[in-house]
């Protein structure tokens, strides 16, 4: 039985435009592109080091931690770290958006591979099987923090050893949860997808728009 894309209501949240932008606490070019796609005005809140290098942002799963709780914890921690840096640098106050993505196979978290050998091993495990891609989005301002979770199911076709070798050699697997990027060459491996394509990329736009609406963050309104 093939996959059928999940449907959403055609009603879109209308976000009131304010004379300020939000901060994006992420180095990811794909998250910047996705946020711009829905007209959100933002500034990138750069970290001197990678956010995960911070002791408070250890990406090691906790004992017994399930994938959904794992990505929500990291997204919240990244938003909190972004807010802390905003205060340290005395930047104008505005909401901080952060996200975290992981792959789960039969409930087991497959994070970012340590090297290309591990990336190849992950792809071999995903070959011919269905797995989940979970992305949590957190939005923090002075008064509160809210978080939303997107869970999608992806099915890979069977991958040969040569398929994996050639893909890993491109370097596209580097620093990617599960060892692949669906928006790149790995798209040819995807036999089915149920859920959010943008969520699998790293920023689920429906959930992000809902968070922005609830917290009244700005978004361009185009006729």
């Amino acid at each position: 039985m093939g996959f059928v894309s999940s449907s959403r209501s055609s009603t879109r949240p209308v976000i009131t435009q304010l004379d300020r932008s939000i901060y994006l606490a992420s180095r990811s070019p794909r998250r910047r592109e996705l946020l711009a796609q829905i007209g959100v005005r933002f500034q990138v809140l750069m970290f001197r080091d990678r956010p995960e290098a911070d002791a408070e942002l250890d990406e090691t799963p906790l004992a017994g931690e399930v994938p959904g709780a794992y990505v929500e914890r990291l997204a919240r921690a990244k938003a909190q770290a972004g807010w802390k840096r905003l205060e340290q640098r005395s930047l104008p106050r505005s909401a901080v958006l952060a996200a975290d993505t992981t792959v789960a196979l039969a409930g087991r978290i497959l994070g970012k591979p340590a090297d290309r050998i591990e990336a190849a091993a992950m792809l071999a495990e995903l070959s011919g099987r269905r797995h989940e891609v979970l992305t949590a989005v957190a939005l923090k301002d002075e008064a509160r923090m809210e978080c939303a979770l997107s869970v999608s199911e992806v099915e890979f076709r069977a991958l040969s050893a040569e398929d994996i070798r050639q893909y890993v050699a491109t370097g596209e697997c580097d620093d990617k949860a599960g060892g692949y990027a669906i928006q790149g060459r790995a798209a040819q491996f995807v036999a089915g997808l149920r859920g959010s394509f943008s969520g699998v990329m790293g920023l689920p736009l429906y959930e992000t728009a809902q968070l922005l609406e609830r917290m009244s963050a700005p978004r361009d309104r185009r006729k």
Side-chain angles (χ1 to χ4, degrees):
M1 181 176 179
F3 281 95
V4 178
S5 298
S6 62
S7 60
R8 302 278 192 184
S9 168
S10 59
T11 303
R12 298 287 183 178
V14 178
I15 301 173
T16 304
Q17 182 173 345
L18 304 177
D19 293 329
R20 60 185 173 84
S21 64
I22 66 169
Y23 292 101
L24 174 63
S26 176
R27 291 173 176 266
S28 168
R30 63 190 180 278
R31 288 189 177 124
R32 298 179 201 180
E33 293 167 4
L34 288 166
L35 203 52
Q37 182 180 321
I38 58 171
V40 176
R41 293 180 290 114
F42 66 93
Q43 300 176 58
V44 177
L45 186 60
M46 296 298 292
F47 295 83
R48 288 189 178 89
D49 300 310
R50 296 180 62 82
E52 55 270 26
D54 192 317
E56 297 179 2
L57 295 175
D58 184 357
E59 293 194 353
T60 305
L62 302 177
E65 191 170 34
V66 297
Y70 170 73
V71 289
E72 286 190 354
R73 175 174 63 84
L74 290 184
R76 288 176 179 274
K78 289 177 181 180
Q80 185 64 51
W83 186 265
K84 180 179 178 181
R85 282 159 177 74
L86 181 154
E87 292 183 317
Q88 289 173 339
R89 299 175 194 175
S90 300
L91 296 172
R93 300 297 176 89
S94 191
V96 175
L97 181 76
D100 192 77
T101 301
T102 198
V103 167
L105 181 64
R108 181 166 57 90
I109 295 169
L110 299 182
K112 298 173 183 176
D115 51 36
R116 293 184 182 177
I117 294 174
E118 186 176 14
M122 287 182 177
L123 291 168
E125 286 194 86
L126 297 176
S127 173
R129 302 175 68 182
R130 294 181 182 181
H131 61 273
E132 289 185 329
V133 180
L134 303 92
T135 297
V137 185
L139 191 63
K140 161 110 179 113
D141 64 12
E142 287 185 288
R144 57 183 168 156
M145 183 187 300
E146 292 205 15
C147 190
L149 177 65
S150 167
V151 182
S152 301
E153 190 176 70
V154 178
E155 180 181 4
F156 268 17
R157 66 170 173 82
L159 305 179
S160 68
E162 184 62 14
D163 288 332
I164 293 172
R165 187 196 68 77
Q166 289 184 3
Y167 180 72
V168 169
T170 68
E172 192 175 273
C173 60
D174 297 350
D175 203 38
K176 303 292 192 306
Y180 76 92
I182 196 170
Q183 72 275 16
R185 297 187 185 187
Q188 64 188 304
F189 302 153
V190 178
L193 166 66
R194 178 184 290 117
S196 168
F197 183 80
S198 60
V200 178
M201 282 182 65
L203 189 70
L205 296 182
Y206 176 84
E207 288 79 3
T208 299
Q210 292 290 313
L211 279 181
L212 293 171
E213 167 67 9
R214 288 202 297 272
M215 295 183 69
S216 300
R219 176 175 160 192
D220 290 339
R221 296 175 65 186
R222 296 187 179 133
K223 297 181 180 179

